[in-house]
Amino acid sequence: MGGGQRFMMLRIKQFLAMAGLTALEAIRQPICLLLSAGCVVLIAAVPLMIMHTFGEDGKQVRDSALAFHFVFGLFIAGHASGTLLSHEMKSGTASAVLSKPVSRELFFLSKFTGITVVVMLFSMCAAIATLLSERVAEKFYFTNTLTGYITDTQTGAMLFGAPFVACLVAALINYRFKRPFASTAFVMLLFSLLFVLVMSGFFERNGTWMPYDFHVQWRIVPVSILITMALVVLAAIAIALSTRLDTVPTLVISSTVFLLGLMSDYIFGRFAENSGFSAFLYMVVPNWQHFWAADALSGGGNVPWEYVINAGLYAAAYSTGILCLGMFSFRHVEMK
Amino acid sequence: MDEQKENDVIVEVHNLVKVFKDFWQRPKVRAVDGLDLEIRRGEIFGLLGPNGSGKSTTIKILLGLLHATSGNVLVFNRSPRDVEIKARIGYLPEESYLYNYLSPCETLNFYGRLFDLKNSVRKERIWQLLEMTGLTHAANRSVGEFSKGMARRVGLAQALINDPELVILDEPTSGLDPVGCRQVKDLMLTLAKRGKTIILSSHLLADVEDVCDRIAILYNGSIKALGSVNQLLEKQESVRFTMPSLSPDVMKKVLELIREKIGKEPEVDHPSMNLEQFFLEVVEKAHKATSQQSGVAPTERMADYLLIKDK
Ligand SMILES: Nc1ncnc2c1ncn2[C@@H]1O[C@H](COP(=O)(O)OP(=O)(O)O)[C@@H](O)[C@H]1O
Ligand SMILES: [Mg+2]
């Protein structure tokens, strides 16, 4: 192996070790499990909470479920990126790692990557729950054997049960193999949801056996992906801030940026043509509207993949910029 | 020329100043104030000083974790912020610096993966280090529930995983039991014999006295005394004999002779073991008498790879 290649291999090895550790640390925090399981339970409960609507089946369910995904995701991304790095800097673990041949840039990026992985795992849970919850909601049916509203109670029950089964399995594994509870339960949650998704593919809405017929609306998936992108951008902002600030100021500023971004069109967009300052802010503050596409699904609409790709490019460019600032800040910060 | 220099002087510090600033960039503490040091290959150098005298701050600057306010620092003839030189350094920080939810085995594995080591070499070293620090039986418990001394041992193992040329130990014996202290001291002596350089910070005088070749006494961020231990401690004006007990009349004769020569009464006492030696003997005996172990197993094993002489 050449010197350069060997150098790259080592960097990759270090990066994977540190990112893996970060992800592990994030999911070992009970709050992560609490938020994910809570989100799934709430999404599962949505069909129970709303009246059935004529015509637009599932729209309310879909919208609420996606909103839960977004809000809980914000908490997970914000909490993980606001606490993990600053905790490492305070407790001295960052010093211990940086006294090894690890560059500060790599350390910082690996933290971000670890958190991104956790955000993605959470998003997978939330997206599966959304798909299933939408399926559970009442639908008007008209076939030669049955006519009327059908609620898919079987899938609903399985979806509800998934978080509890995940916790139960994790508790057993903890008892038997002494594996930490929170992280096992988090992983089990994803597995149990996947299992429910596959199982639901074997049954009709009324519970009759019907293999390989998924009654889920895959068009929700691009919308969930867009939400995930927004969460990753927010994680980048929070982790960049946490290189210099404590957890609380980090969370306050990230929330402010988030709120400004929600109203970006309204506050800055209107004036962007006349005022350079507004135009600047309009560009700098992330515009979350790009990532909220739930409305496009109403009336059977779709979100085109080109749109998803464009939004992805916007998110990537935005987070890259933020991460560069974060790396610059982290390079010069003093370690305890 | 440069090559030659790197071979002799490992750490060079010239007129180092470190001022901690507050949020508004106003000076808060002058932790290091005009420090000059030169540490050479193969020596055990002791940084001695009361709490808050700037030992840890100096060490962190040597590692590039803190940035000097002014002055020059060279480690292996490079800037301390150079990532490459870290591959040749092992650092034991002063306090909590371990991931609490990892076990010693996972901790060592993680740190090991940050170095350019073959997997087989890494695994072997982890095993040897665990054995050396007496933690094999606790290898899979999480570090968070360890006692301070046990965590310290994991920290020590972590610092040695890359077989470093320069070992920096910040208060290595704090929290360790006397057996552990003795072991750490022996370890330092062994490493130094192999040509490794060691920087040791401590406020425990016994540690420093036993092992250090040279010491610097810091106070308020500057060096108040610097030199070899013997040189600093020797009292040129007095002499001490140690010999088997004498019979009373021989004793009387000797004392008379001395009194006659120097004109005053000499001090006479029985040399006693120091407490450390005594403690080590007691523990050694107790260990031989029992087979079960709940804390740390006292071992005299040194990790094999640390004993291999460089060519
Ligand atoms: N991060 C910091 N911010 C402000 N002051 C600090 C910081 N770290 C250390 N100090 C101060 O610098 C001085 C030297 O500290 P330190 O080097 O840790 O002492 P020692 O290791 O010799 O006990 C102390 O007065 C301490 O309060
Ligand atoms: Mg100190």
Side-chain angles (χ1 to χ4, degrees):
Chain A
M1 249 196 302
Q5 200 183 350
R6 191 173 177 141
F7 180 84
M8 274 313 291
M9 286 298 290
L10 176 62
R11 291 287 167 276
I12 292 170
K13 224 171 75 179
Q14 292 177 333
F15 182 77
L16 292 179
M18 293 188 294
L21 195 71
T22 309
L24 194 66
E25 187 173 11
I27 64 171
R28 281 199 184 170
Q29 294 182 340
I31 183 123
C32 185
L33 173 66
L34 208 66
L35 289 171
S36 315
C39 182
V40 170
V41 169
L42 279 175
I43 291 177
V46 173
L48 303 179
M49 294 191 288
I50 58 170
M51 301 284 144
H52 70 235
T53 47
F54 297 98
E56 261 289 33
D57 288 317
K59 172 167 167 36
Q60 281 187 336
V61 175
R62 212 163 51 214
D63 285 358
S64 325
L66 289 169
F68 280 133
H69 179 180
F70 200 6
V71 172
F72 279 76
L74 287 175
F75 280 117
I76 287 191
H79 182 266
S81 35
T83 55
L84 283 184
L85 183 62
S86 55
H87 179 256
E88 290 222 14
M89 286 161 68
K90 247 186 251 151
S91 71
T93 47
S95 294
V97 174
L98 291 172
S99 68
K100 308 283 183 241
V102 169
S103 73
R104 290 188 173 209
E105 288 81 359
L106 200 72
F107 181 76
F108 178 76
L109 286 181
S110 71
K111 292 283 128 189
F112 170 73
T113 309
I115 291 167
T116 303
V117 168
V118 174
V119 167
M120 285 179 173
L121 291 178
F122 161 78
S123 282
M124 278 169 74
C125 291
I128 295 173
T130 306
L131 286 173
L132 289 171
S133 185
E134 204 264 356
R135 178 190 151 128
V136 171
E138 286 188 84
K139 281 232 171 102
F140 188 73
Y141 252 56
F142 185 76
T143 63
N144 45 8
T145 50
L146 85 184
T147 313
Y149 289 102
I150 299 177
T151 308
D152 188 351
T153 39
Q154 181 176 305
T155 306
M158 285 199 292
L159 177 55
F160 246 120
F164 299 99
V165 170
C167 289
L168 194 71
V169 171
L172 287 177
I173 291 180
N174 174 267
Y175 181 76
R176 185 73 185 77
F177 302 104
K178 298 181 181 163
R179 303 300 306 161
F181 173 76
S183 50
T184 319
F186 182 81
V187 175
M188 283 299 150
L189 179 65
L190 182 58
F191 280 124
S192 61
L193 285 169
L194 277 170
F195 178 76
V196 176
L197 181 67
V198 172
M199 282 307 288
S200 75
F202 286 88
F203 293 98
E204 241 318 343
R205 302 179 61 80
N206 59 0
T208 49
W209 178 254
M210 171 83 79
Y212 313 120
D213 189 7
F214 286 89
H215 286 277
V216 294
Q217 303 206 10
W218 296 112
R219 66 203 178 96
I220 299 177
V221 172
V223 182
S224 299
I225 293 178
L226 285 169
I227 291 177
T228 311
M229 289 173 186
L231 298 179
V232 171
V233 172
L234 195 94
I237 295 175
I239 202 169
L241 287 170
S242 78
T243 57
R244 293 287 162 142
L245 300 175
D246 248 349
T247 304
V248 174
T250 298
L251 291 183
V252 169
I253 297 181
S254 325
S255 324
T256 313
V257 171
F258 173 69
L259 289 176
L260 285 177
L262 270 189
M263 299 181 287
S264 178
D265 281 331
Y266 180 73
I267 313 181
F268 312 120
R270 293 191 296 168
F271 308 112
E273 281 187 9
N274 306 325
S275 140
F277 185 59
S278 289
F280 173 73
L281 285 178
Y282 191 53
M283 252 181 54
V284 170
V285 175
N287 191 338
W288 306 115
Q289 294 301 335
H290 298 332
F291 302 106
W292 183 254
D295 304 331
L297 295 182
S298 51
N302 269 312
V303 178
W305 284 106
E306 294 93 84
Y307 180 81
V308 178
I309 290 169
N310 281 331
L313 290 177
Y314 173 74
Y318 197 90
S319 346
T320 307
I322 295 287
L323 289 175
C324 283
L325 290 178
M327 270 196 293
F328 182 77
S329 155
F330 190 66
R331 167 190 287 204
H332 294 284
V333 82
E334 305 221 298
M335 295 293 147
K336 197 183 150 251
Chain B
M1 177 72 206
D2 263 8
E3 189 76 354
Q4 185 58 40
K5 192 175 173 200
E6 188 188 326
N7 279 339
D8 294 332
V9 180
I10 303 282
V11 174
E12 206 179 340
V13 176
H14 187 62
N15 202 12
L16 177 68
V17 175
K18 174 67 193 177
V19 179
F20 283 106
K21 305 215 171 89
D22 70 1
F23 181 81
W24 307 105
Q25 297 301 306
R26 289 175 303 202
K28 197 163 58 174
V29 190
R30 206 173 178 84
V32 180
D33 192 7
L35 196 79
D36 285 296
L37 270 185
E38 215 167 72
I39 297 170
R40 289 174 222 115
R41 180 178 297 278
E43 74 177 343
I44 304 183
F45 189 90
L47 278 174
L48 198 58
N51 298 125
S53 52
K55 306 181 293 291
S56 300
T57 306
T58 309
I59 285 176
K60 284 176 194 162
I61 292 172
L62 293 183
L63 288 160
L65 297 171
L66 294 174
H67 309 320
T69 307
S70 69
N72 287 326
V73 181
L74 290 177
V75 180
F76 290 114
N77 224 13
R78 311 263 278 275
S79 152
R81 303 189 56 189
D82 192 326
V83 173
E84 305 280 297
I85 58 166
K86 309 272 174 71
R88 303 158 73 181
I89 301 178
Y91 168 51
L92 170 67
E94 189 173 11
E95 51 197 46
S96 68
Y97 40 79
L98 294 168
Y99 293 100
N100 281 337
Y101 51 87
L102 296 184
S103 68
C105 205
E106 289 167 326
T107 305
L108 294 180
N109 196 37
F110 169 70
Y111 286 115
R113 282 168 72 193
L114 302 179
F115 291 98
D116 192 7
L117 290 178
K118 281 212 200 79
N119 286 350
S120 55
V121 175
R122 188 178 74 226
K123 297 228 169 74
E124 202 180 310
R125 285 188 183 179
I126 290 173
W127 185 242
Q128 291 180 12
L129 285 168
L130 285 173
E131 206 158 284
M132 178 176 100
T133 47
L135 288 170
T136 28
H137 66 284
N140 291 315
R141 278 163 57 191
S142 63
V143 175
E145 57 196 49
F146 275 15
S147 75
K148 185 174 179 211
M150 288 166 88
R152 207 88 194 113
R153 287 161 184 264
V154 182
L156 190 67
Q158 160 278 127
L160 296 173
I161 188 101
N162 57 330
D163 194 13
E165 283 170 56
L166 170 63
V167 186
I168 302 182
L169 305 170
D170 198 349
E171 307 205 351
T173 53
S174 83
L176 284 187
D177 53 36
V179 183
C181 291
R182 187 68 252 168
Q183 232 185 330
V184 170
K185 289 183 209 170
D186 289 343
L187 176 74
M188 286 192 272
L189 293 170
T190 313
L191 291 175
K193 228 178 273 163
R194 265 187 63 202
K196 312 275 174 192
T197 312
I198 296 169
I199 302 178
L200 162 72
S201 131
S202 185
H203 56 257
L204 299 178
L205 308 180
D207 292 356
V208 176
E209 188 174 354
D210 288 359
V211 295
C212 290
D213 299 316
R214 284 198 310 144
I215 57 173
I217 298 181
L218 259 68
Y219 187 79
N220 260 352
S222 54
I223 293 181
K224 303 296 177 199
L226 177 72
S228 79
V229 177
N230 291 337
Q231 207 180 333
L232 292 174
L233 297 189
E234 208 169 47
K235 282 191 183 163
Q236 293 291 352
E237 67 284 359
S238 57
V239 179
R240 181 153 129 190
F241 306 102
T242 307
M243 60 193 108
S245 294
L246 301 174
S247 66
D249 39 303
V250 179
M251 188 72 176
K252 211 167 154 197
K253 271 187 204 148
V254 171
L255 283 177
E256 228 153 68
L257 183 66
I258 294 175
R259 218 174 283 141
E260 188 181 304
K261 289 288 173 201
I262 62 173
K264 41 178 199 190
E265 193 70 21
E267 279 175 43
V268 180
D269 57 12
H270 291 285
S272 56
M273 254 195 285
N274 64 21
L275 186 57
E276 187 189 7
Q277 287 165 353
F278 179 69
F279 183 95
L280 289 175
E281 262 176 35
V282 172
V283 173
E284 179 68 14
K285 266 186 213 147
H287 176 60
K288 286 201 178 117
T290 53
S291 56
Q292 224 191 349
Q293 212 64 51
S294 68
V296 167
T299 60
E300 279 168 14
R301 269 192 71 94
M302 209 61 88
D304 290 338
Y305 76 89
L306 293 174
L307 296 172
I308 301 163
K309 261 245 177 320
D310 292 330
K311 62 237 134 46

